[in-house]
Amino acid sequence: MGRGESGSWVTIGTFARLCRLSAKALRRYDELGLLPPALVDPVNGYRYYAEEQVETARLVAWLRRIGMPLNRIKEVVALGDPGAAAAAIRDYWAQVEAETAARRDLAAFLADHLSAREAEGPVGLVRPEGLEEPVRSVGAQMQAGVPGPLGTLGIRYATRSVRGAVRERNQDAAYAGARLLAVADGFGARGAGASAAAIDALKPVALGAAGAAGLLNVLEDAAERAARAVRDAVAGNGADGEPDGSGTTLTAMVWDGAQLGLVHIGDSRAHLLRDGGLFRITHDHSVVQSMIDDGSLTEAEASSHPQRALLLRALVGGGGGAAVSTPDVRLQEVRPGDRYLLCSDGLSAVVGGAETARVLAGADGPGTAVRELVALAVAAGGPDDVSCVVADVVSL
């Protein structure tokens, strides 16, 4: 053991005991450039560590315990500043919780689906009795499934999209058709191309739905195709041919004649108006939403938070701060009389829930609803692009 400029050097064995990492792990972290030793003996190759490296090594050990990938740990350690590192850890854990919630919802659906099939044969899924309070996530309080003997169902729809007051061009994309409803909010230099590519990728796969299991497969295919399409649309458009961080949110619903499948990533939203109550059925993948979830921020405070537009998850080509990932997918139970709203945050950021509910409940059809909602956003100053899709579930 020797001495470095600011303290003692210890052998790899002693250092491993101090930081509670194995010598094998330390050698691996050295190879990755995550935790290099302070000194390597040029003759025998022995590794020596400085005592002041213990705190960093313990942080690495703790981050591994919460399951953080080594590349993310390397980024956190490189930040140096404790405040920035803390923020990065919070962002990572918010992403983990969002992805876990999506897997939990899908697991619950699959378990209920299989239980229903065992009890009732091929009839279908258990239908919920109803909704008693607004929801953040469809999986939290609703079981998805095929409705009971309601006759043939169909949807009537309308869409509208306008450029924001401070935007040079509209980077939103919105689409409404017999099988697909979608809103995407692009960002970055190639945001318009990203949002259009995401929705275009959904159009062909939306035609293949057949039953609950079939629709789940369609949704998975749609999510993967949308992610690939956005990566292709923005690839190599930054400096030196690198991705420039452009991307898009995506909130879409696929209709198979009996139920709706939801594809969602980012902070565009889907709402359901049912029996006079307005329910949010998507969960924002954003920094402020993660702070609301952990109790450090209220809904009222979120509207004016300086990081309200910062996303934890989005469809991106690389860089830009948002994690590269595919959307969440789930099934949505439907009833005649349901009215659905899909919108970009250009609407939700400036028009409150009470006003949105009033317009949706009072409009005589989807066309009237989208016109009035967009008009409200424009009247409120509407700095961002505003896009809406409204669809009614009707008995045919």
Side-chain angles (χ1 to χ4, degrees), residues 267 286-288 302-311 345 349:
D267 63 354
S286 65
V287 169
V288 295
S303 62
S304 58
H305 194 277
Q307 291 184 312
R308 63 186 180 277
L310 186 59
L311 298 175
D345 68 340

Side-chain angles (χ1 to χ4, degrees), residues 149-199:
L150 300 173
T152 303
L153 299 179
I155 56 171
R156 294 174 181 164
Y157 47 83
T159 183
R160 185 167 174 78
S161 181
V162 300
R163 179 172 57 86
V166 299
R167 302 294 188 186
E168 294 183 359
R169 61 178 302 194
N170 190 349
Q171 292 193 308
D172 282 4
Y175 178 85
R179 292 287 185 179
L180 176 66
L181 313 168
V183 167
D185 181 357
F187 53 84
R190 296 298 299 265
S195 59
I199 292 180

Side-chain angles (χ1 to χ4, degrees), residues 26 29-40 48-50 53:
L26 288 172
Y29 298 160
D30 178 16
E31 293 170 359
L32 295 174
L34 173 60
L35 196 62
L39 174 69
V40 177
Y48 295 95
Y49 291 83
Q53 290 182 280

Side-chain angles (χ1 to χ4, degrees), residues 87 90-99 249 264-269 280 282-294 296-297 299 302-303 305 307-314 321-323 328 345 348:
R90 292 191 188 98
D91 289 350
Y92 165 76
W93 195 249
Q95 180 184 345
V96 169
E97 289 184 328
E99 292 173 348
T249 69
H264 171 69
I265 190 168
D267 63 354
S268 294
R269 294 178 176 178
R280 192 169 119 202
T282 53
H283 194 75
D284 290 352
H285 301 131
S286 65
V287 169
V288 295
Q289 184 63 63
S290 71
M291 297 172 72
I292 292 171
D293 294 342
D294 68 20
S296 61
L297 196 69
E299 291 275 3
S303 62
H305 194 277
Q307 291 184 312
R308 63 186 180 277
L310 186 59
L311 298 175
L312 292 175
R313 295 176 60 196
D328 297 334
D345 68 340
S348 57

Side-chain angles (χ1 to χ4, degrees), residues 359-370:
V359 170
L360 289 173
D364 58 8
T368 301
V370 295

Side-chain angles (χ1 to χ4, degrees), residues 109 113 125 146 179 208-218 256-259 331:
F109 161 75
H113 176 44
L125 307 179
V146 178
R179 292 287 185 179
L215 184 53
L216 275 175
N217 291 334
V218 167
D256 74 347
Q259 59 194 335
L331 300 186

